[in-house]
Amino acid sequence: MKILVVGSGGREHAIVWKIAQSPKAEKIYCAPGNAGIAEYAECVDIPAMDFERLAAFAKEKEIDLTVIGMDDPLVGGIVDVFEKEGLRVFGPRKNAAILEGSKAFSKDLMKKYQIPTAAYETFSDPDAALEYLETAKLPIVLKADGLALGKGVLICNTLEEAKEGVKTIMLDKKFGSAGNEMVIEEFMTGREVSVLSFVDGKTIKTMSSAQDHKRAGDGDTGLNTGGMGNFSPSPFYTKEIDEFCQKHIYQATVDAMAAEGRPFQGVIFFGLMLTEDGPKVLEYNARFGDPEAQVVLPRMKTDIVDVFEACIDGTLDQVDLQFEDNACVCVVLASDGYPVSYEKGYPIHGLEKFKGADGYYCFHAGTKFKDGEIVTNGGRVLGITAIGKDLKEARANAYKAVDWVTFDNKYYRHDIGKAIDEAPEK
């Protein structure tokens, strides 16, 4: 098969790397790709949002399967464009990708179908939002309605912070048109867990759990980012929690989307909060997480191409989705200053140390080729990932590999996976 992956980050590198392990994959293309992806795929200089050119390329090269990695093209309707051209594509259509594209839509869906989530209100008028805050319980969470690269969520501890947050989102438009509408919701406490799942419109099969680290600094300090590291599985995600979620959250969401005439085919990312009152949905994403994909896919035993095809064909119930009984940790190497401002273009050294190092992976996020060498080209640069027999070993291996790589203004958190020390004994 000829396979095209759309995207350019660490998530897409992990997807391409996993596809390359399939005996069905004869030739892989990635648009636009990055320096790391180029090891497994032919990178094509077409932007992820140029749907017409991407579809034309897929037809010209007789692509058998296209996999959409990124949220923006999914929410923008790339799957609809490809299907209209008779092309086989993995990912939700536009009317289903709204599950991520609009927080107001997803919150209303959960309320309608009694899927556990935080209490909330939606606002399109900043004055009404400010008035609501006067009597709201603090701390409180403000969310830009649309896509904001994982950064459009503000946790406000004081009324002054909350009012400034409304200004930031709705008036200053820090997140652009994503802030035309805003969700204000109760602040939930508990342990955060991410669960990715494959969906074929009616059947859902969950992948192994993971746990993200969103804040830029050690000790969960600093600004929200797209993710500074991850580990899988989460020791806090018990069998009892999974049984509850399978019935009341996962299948309930798939059934709700089908009932709304928006059948979902692709990956649903469930962001969960394990509260004292039970698991609740923090957010939905309509694609693989980043860096969740980097810790879940290395543990996946099943041929990913078979799973993609089953989701498209509605035969996911026939797939035996299996994961290794091990653990994986990813530490993101970022450019100092991320997620605000940072310099790029610095040469990266030490990448060759991953060649032949079994159980160690380096997934490229913001990299490119320049004058024959690989240089930094983004806020999140690399995902240094390692396998271990358990989380403690995987964490030690990941941080050992972090030292293999150097570049100017390299920055990373030193406490990824530290929470596993607090996990209950099995």
Side-chain angles (χ1 to χ4, degrees):
M1 292 176 66
K2 296 180 185 176
I3 299 172
L4 168 65
V5 176
V6 176
S8 60
R11 165 185 49 223
E12 286 75 34
H13 190 177
I15 293 169
V16 166
W17 168 81
K18 197 66 181 176
I19 289 171
Q21 297 171 22
S22 171
K24 292 187 173 182
E26 299 169 20
K27 171 73 176 178
I28 308 171
Y29 297 92
C30 188
N34 62 38
I37 290 171
E39 182 180 348
Y40 302 97
E42 180 179 330
C43 293
V44 184
D45 190 18
I46 303 175
M49 293 303 288
D50 196 337
F51 302 167
E52 301 301 333
R53 279 181 66 197
L54 287 168
F57 175 83
K59 292 181 81 170
E60 176 196 343
K61 296 294 184 180
E62 299 180 333
I63 299 294
D64 298 296
L65 172 66
T66 298
V67 179
I68 313 300
M70 297 172 66
D71 47 5
D72 283 334
L74 287 169
V75 172
I78 189 171
V79 170
D80 306 65
V81 171
F82 269 61
E83 287 185 342
K84 187 178 177 183
E85 293 296 326
L87 294 163
R88 194 165 169 80
V89 57
F90 174 82
R93 299 184 184 104
K94 183 176 184 177
N95 74 341
I98 193 175
L99 194 63
E100 175 173 9
S102 170
K103 291 181 176 65
F105 170 85
S106 63
K107 294 294 288 190
D108 289 346
L109 184 86
M110 286 184 272
K111 178 186 277 188
K112 181 176 179 180
Y113 291 92
Q114 299 180 318
I115 297 167
T117 189
Y120 74 100
E121 294 290 341
T122 304
F123 298 91
S124 55
D125 176 6
D127 290 333
L130 290 168
E131 183 180 344
Y132 173 80
L133 288 173
E134 293 289 348
T135 57
K137 182 182 176 183
L138 296 166
I140 201 158
V141 183
L142 311 184
K143 294 183 176 181
D145 177 58
L147 299 178
L149 299 173
K151 300 166 195 162
V153 178
L154 305 178
I155 298 172
C156 306
N157 292 302
T158 67
L159 181 58
E160 289 69 28
E161 281 182 29
K163 287 181 174 179
E164 186 61 31
V166 171
K167 180 176 180 290
T168 297
I169 293 173
M170 301 194 78
L171 297 175
D172 298 343
K173 290 290 182 6
K174 180 179 179 181
F175 308 110
S177 60
N180 290 346
E181 199 168 7
M182 184 176 69
V183 172
I184 300 180
E185 68 177 36
E186 71 168 316
F187 177 74
M188 294 190 291
T189 57
R191 187 77 59 177
E192 283 191 46
V193 174
S194 306
V195 177
L196 310 182
S197 63
F198 291 109
V199 185
D200 71 356
K202 56 184 185 298
T203 298
I204 181 167
K205 296 221 170 177
T206 52
M207 303 178 226
S208 183
S209 62
Q211 197 163 317
D212 197 9
H213 299 68
K214 296 288 285 184
R215 298 283 187 156
D218 287 356
D220 290 327
T221 58
L223 296 173
N224 261 347
T225 71
M228 292 299 294
N230 221 298
F231 61 86
S232 174
S234 169
F236 305 97
Y237 186 78
T238 64
K239 182 181 178 183
E240 292 73 26
I241 289 172
D242 180 65
E243 288 173 353
F244 176 89
C245 291
Q246 292 288 350
K247 180 179 179 181
H248 298 287
I249 294 177
Y250 307 150
Q251 191 64 51
T253 299
V254 175
D255 293 345
M257 290 297 283
E260 292 292 309
R262 302 170 182 268
F264 194 104
Q265 292 176 287
V267 169
I268 298 181
F269 170 128
F270 295 90
L272 304 174
M273 181 70 83
L274 307 183
T275 76
E276 288 184 354
D277 301 324
K280 295 185 180 182
V281 178
L282 273 173
E283 64 173 354
Y284 293 116
N285 292 322
R287 36 69 189 180
F288 283 100
D290 187 345
E292 284 84 359
Q294 289 92 303
V295 292
V296 171
L297 292 184
R299 301 184 55 229
M300 183 172 156
K301 294 165 69 174
T302 312
D303 187 323
I304 199 169
V305 176
D306 288 343
V307 183
F308 288 153
E309 296 216 279
C311 289
I312 296 169
D313 295 334
T315 58
L316 189 59
D317 60 331
Q318 299 172 29
V319 171
D320 182 16
L321 188 62
Q322 294 188 353
F323 289 82
E324 299 282 0
D325 183 19
N326 56 9
C328 190
V329 171
C330 172
V331 179
V332 170
L333 301 189
S335 299
D336 194 19
Y338 171 77
V340 182
S341 61
Y342 47 85
E343 295 179 356
K344 50 191 181 181
Y346 295 112
I348 303 171
H349 304 287
L351 296 173
E352 71 283 352
K353 294 181 181 178
F354 289 88
K355 299 279 188 187
D358 192 38
Y360 294 86
Y361 315 103
C362 180
F363 295 115
H364 291 231
T367 66
K368 70 174 183 178
F369 286 108
K370 183 181 180 183
D371 300 329
E373 59 184 353
I374 296 175
V375 302
T376 64
N377 191 45
R380 292 190 295 174
V381 179
L382 301 168
I384 305 300
T385 305
I387 293 285
K389 67 178 184 294
D390 56 27
L391 284 166
K392 290 188 178 181
E393 182 177 276
R395 183 172 183 248
N397 289 343
Y399 275 103
K400 179 174 74 173
V402 160
D403 292 335
W404 296 354
V405 179
T406 60
F407 56 86
D408 287 349
N409 83 339
K410 167 183 162 183
Y411 172 78
Y412 62 95
R413 281 183 57 165
H414 300 79
D415 60 349
I416 302 302
K418 189 177 180 181
I420 63 178
D421 298 332
E422 307 160 22
E425 292 292 329
K426 288 189 176 179

